[in-house]
Amino acid sequence: MKDRLLRAPRHAVAAALACALALTGCSSGSSGADTDTVDVVAAFYPFQFVAERVGGEHVHVSNLTQPGAEPHELELTAQQIASIGQADLVLYQTGFQAAVDEAIAQNTPRGAIDVASIVTLQDPAGSIDLTDGEEDSEGEHDEDGDEFTKDPHEWLDPQNMITITNAVRDRLSELDADHADQYASNAETLVEQLQQLDSDYSTLSSCQQKSFVTTHAAFGYLATRYGLNQISIAGLSPDEEPSPARIAAVQQLARENGVTTIFYETLVSDKVASSIAGDLGLTTDVLDPLEGITDESRGSDYIEVMRSNLAALETANQCG
Ligand SMILES: [Zn+2]
């Protein structure tokens, strides 16, 4: 019994003690708080997806970014900050969500995976640099409010998702060695799906058009991996209001590159994308940066939405 308590996740011990003291409300089978599941807190959707797929029934995953909310500019409730400190494992990425970075610094969880330390983050690319043109801006991307020195959107490269999957498998196996075989098997299944996705995406090398226009610059990793060229209306954050000069530059690049489609996102207003498409007589379609999943997403999980993205790109860029 002593051994079992020592090996149980910390919150399970706390829950067991609370039950012993309170003698109430401890027997229902709800959401992992009262069993020996591993308590994982994911900073935003793609990490939630990996944790749920690898952890399966042995893990309870909560997501700090509510469904339908934007993970950029995330603010945390006091309860969420507390949940970080109590978690067995937190999946996050330094430099992306300042509130999460601060909460972890102040309230160290039992375990954490900082994805920025296991995948190679790229410099921002594919965003329009107006300083090269006639625009006399204050410097680089400052006018767009980008505070990122590295592009955070690494999850849109399936190969990075494989790296994350393997890291989650390893940490879960350390935290809960009894179920290591299950975590290994779950991870293997997910890695196979991600490899297939990567292989299917490689058909983008046959696209007649290499450029695509996105709402915010979320697809730099995808563009780099599969040989495409991202033209983004906004910068690395989706909430920026693009300047008229930037919109004009996007329109010119879209014309010069034979772009057929202006892409917008499910979590962000399509107003600017629709306006640009209207001016140029182009169509619009969804290219989803997978920063969250809602009922309006074109697919129920990362893999399905990535497949919808691939189909949208193949149509827009005349591939295959
Ligand atoms: Zn983003």
Side-chain angles (χ1 to χ4, degrees), residues 77-89:
T77 65
Q79 199 173 15
Q80 286 180 313
I81 292 170
S83 78
I84 288 173
Q86 289 158 6
D88 295 309
L89 179 61

Side-chain angles (χ1 to χ4, degrees), residues 70 72 96 152-153 155 216 218 236-238 289 291:
E70 251 297 320
H72 292 263
F96 181 41
H153 302 93
W155 58 90
H216 86 288
L236 288 167
S237 295
E291 295 181 351

Side-chain angles (χ1 to χ4, degrees), residues 14-30:
L17 289 173
C19 290
L21 293 170
L23 298 173
T24 175
C26 300
S27 59
S28 74
S30 66

Side-chain angles (χ1 to χ4, degrees), residues 27-263:
S27 59
S28 74
S30 66
S31 69
D34 55 349
T35 67
D36 62 351
T37 53
V38 181
D39 190 14
V40 179
V41 172
F44 57 103
Y45 175 70
F47 300 167
Q48 174 194 358
F49 169 74
V50 171
E52 286 176 345
R53 287 291 306 273
V54 176
E57 61 181 343
H58 304 301
V59 167
H60 173 250
V61 184
S62 57
N63 183 351
L64 295 173
T65 306
Q66 302 305 309
E70 251 297 320
H72 292 263
E73 314 294 330
L74 177 70
E75 291 177 14
L76 298 175
T77 65
Q79 199 173 15
Q80 286 180 313
I81 292 170
S83 78
I84 288 173
Q86 289 158 6
D88 295 309
L89 179 61
V90 178
L91 303 178
Y92 74 115
Q93 184 172 311
T94 50
F96 181 41
Q97 297 166 298
V100 178
D101 295 355
E102 283 166 28
I104 286 177
Q106 289 167 12
N107 212 352
T108 312
R110 184 173 171 212
I113 295 175
D114 175 6
V115 170
S117 72
I118 60 168
V119 305
T120 305
L121 295 182
Q122 294 179 174
D123 291 331
S127 186
I128 299 165
D129 185 356
L130 294 175
T131 56
D132 284 345
E134 67 282 1
E135 284 301 308
D136 182 25
S137 79
E138 292 293 299
E140 298 286 308
H141 301 288
D142 286 354
E143 73 162 32
D144 302 314
D146 284 351
E147 74 275 34
F148 299 111
T149 52
K150 295 288 182 182
D151 182 349
H153 302 93
E154 45 70 26
W155 58 90
L156 290 162
D157 178 346
Q159 294 193 24
N160 286 337
M161 289 289 277
I162 291 173
T163 301
I164 299 167
T165 298
N166 290 332
V168 169
R169 174 201 61 201
D170 291 348
R171 291 306 291 274
L172 288 179
S173 300
E174 286 167 20
L175 287 164
D176 177 22
D178 287 352
H179 298 115
D181 288 351
Q182 190 67 58
Y183 299 139
S185 158
N186 292 346
E188 190 180 344
T189 303
L190 179 54
V191 166
E192 279 169 13
Q193 284 184 301
L194 291 165
Q195 282 170 337
Q196 185 62 51
L197 189 67
D198 177 46
S199 161
D200 293 345
Y201 260 83
S202 62
T203 62
L204 292 175
S205 62
S206 69
C207 298
Q208 291 178 37
Q209 306 293 342
K210 294 297 180 190
S211 296
F212 60 104
V213 176
T214 66
T215 301
H216 86 288
F219 298 90
Y221 291 84
L222 190 153
T224 301
R225 177 68 67 194
Y226 304 111
L228 299 180
N229 174 41
Q230 169 181 242
I231 300 167
S232 68
I233 299 168
L236 288 167
S237 295
D239 54 348
E240 297 156 10
E241 194 72 31
S243 64
R246 187 167 189 121
I247 289 175
V250 169
Q251 290 187 325
Q252 189 178 342
L253 282 170
R255 271 195 221 99
E256 286 171 6
N257 289 284
V259 165
T260 65
T261 305
I262 306 295
F263 285 116

